[in-house]
Amino acid sequence: MTDAPAARLAAFLEQLEDARRARDVTLIVVSKRHPAALVRELAAAGHRDFGESRHPESREKAEALADLGLTWHFVGQLQRNKARQVARYADVLHSIDSPALVDALEGGEERPQRDALVQVNLTDDPGRGGVAPAELESLAERVAGSSALRLRGVMAVAPLGEEPGRAFERLAHHAARVRAIEPAADWISAGMSADWREALEHGATHLRIGTAITGNRPADG
Ligand SMILES: *Cc1c(COP(=O)(O)O)cnc(C)c1O
């Protein structure tokens, strides 16, 4: 991992080209904790889709780079009291996990409907992000009927301590449940640096790749 991020991006895109088997896949480079300059460097190399997970760090970057017209994906947990603020700069919200969050996003008509994914909790721990699978349909229906959001599909993080392919297989099943409600909601946001090949095998349409492209993240602080 000594190469420049732009070189790692090119190398990753080459691997993705081999692995995606002619399917359309959107690569989201997760730039959390990295400076805006790194995003600018990857944008200069032609990349458009970036992921962030913490407000207001994400807002600062989106504002600093507003001249580039990038597509911003918010992939972190969305707090209700900050959700409207996030929806001002984020183009895609990957982590819709409760009806109360949808309520919080409504009423702000300052932008068109945001693309939204329902995050599914693939663990048995209710403290983890995402809606419990048993509540997926009702939440998806709520999003589909929302004036603030456009339901595009599902998102998940593979649980630690489980073979990721097995978890992504369950996610593919949950994705089908959502498509039964809204056939156009066919996005599956899954796969990070360590497990993107397994995610791709199970139908991922959006990969969220951080360290494999950006290098290690600066220490939290
Ligand atoms: C940080 C993060 C990623 C990227 O993780 P890497 O292991 O660095 O590729 C993907 N998804 C979410 C939700 C994240 O928070």
Side-chain angles (χ1 to χ4, degrees):
M1 304 262 286
T2 51
D3 291 344
R8 281 195 298 261
L9 171 65
F12 188 91
L13 285 171
E14 217 163 279
Q15 292 178 56
L16 178 56
E17 192 54 36
D18 288 342
R20 73 188 175 93
R21 297 199 196 93
R23 280 203 299 119
D24 263 347
V25 176
T26 300
L27 170 63
I28 300 162
V29 175
V30 178
S31 49
K32 66 187 181 206
R33 303 219 296 268
H34 285 285
L38 179 138
V39 176
R40 201 171 272 286
E41 192 179 331
L42 293 172
H47 199 70
R48 311 302 306 163
D49 287 85
F50 292 90
E52 285 286 328
S53 65
R54 284 192 310 197
H55 180 84
E57 174 196 336
S58 43
R59 177 179 61 201
E60 284 155 18
K61 254 174 261 181
E63 282 176 357
L65 300 166
D67 57 307
L68 299 178
L70 302 173
T71 298
W72 291 101
H73 298 255
F74 194 86
V75 304
Q77 198 167 7
L78 261 177
Q79 291 174 25
R80 265 177 249 170
N81 60 344
K82 295 180 185 156
R84 290 268 295 277
Q85 292 180 51
V86 172
R88 287 203 190 103
Y89 58 83
D91 302 287
V92 188
L93 303 172
H94 285 238
S95 44
I96 302 298
D97 62 1
S98 73
L101 180 59
V102 181
D103 292 344
L105 282 158
E106 286 177 341
E109 312 304 347
E110 53 278 306
R111 289 188 74 175
Q113 285 179 317
R114 308 283 85 206
D115 286 327
L117 302 175
V118 172
Q119 183 178 353
V120 186
N121 184 353
L122 297 178
T123 77
D124 296 325
D125 176 358
R128 293 289 167 144
V131 68
E135 287 150 38
L136 176 60
E137 268 102 357
S138 64
L139 180 57
E141 279 167 6
R142 176 73 185 86
V143 175
S146 166
S147 60
L149 302 172
R150 181 166 51 225
L151 179 64
R152 301 309 299 252
V154 295
M155 177 274 214
V157 177
L160 293 172
E162 181 185 5
E163 207 276 296
R166 287 189 48 203
F168 292 139
E169 199 176 331
R170 292 201 298 285
L171 182 61
H173 162 72
H174 298 318
R177 293 168 63 205
V178 168
R179 285 198 305 277
I181 291 165
E182 172 55 69
D186 59 358
W187 296 8
I188 301 179
S189 166
M192 313 190 350
S193 293
D195 57 20
W196 64 271
R197 288 178 185 278
E198 289 88 347
L200 213 49
E201 271 167 35
H202 293 283
T205 62
H206 290 65
L207 305 178
R208 307 180 310 266
I209 307 298
T211 48
I213 292 171
T214 63
N216 291 331
R217 281 182 280 276
D220 214 347

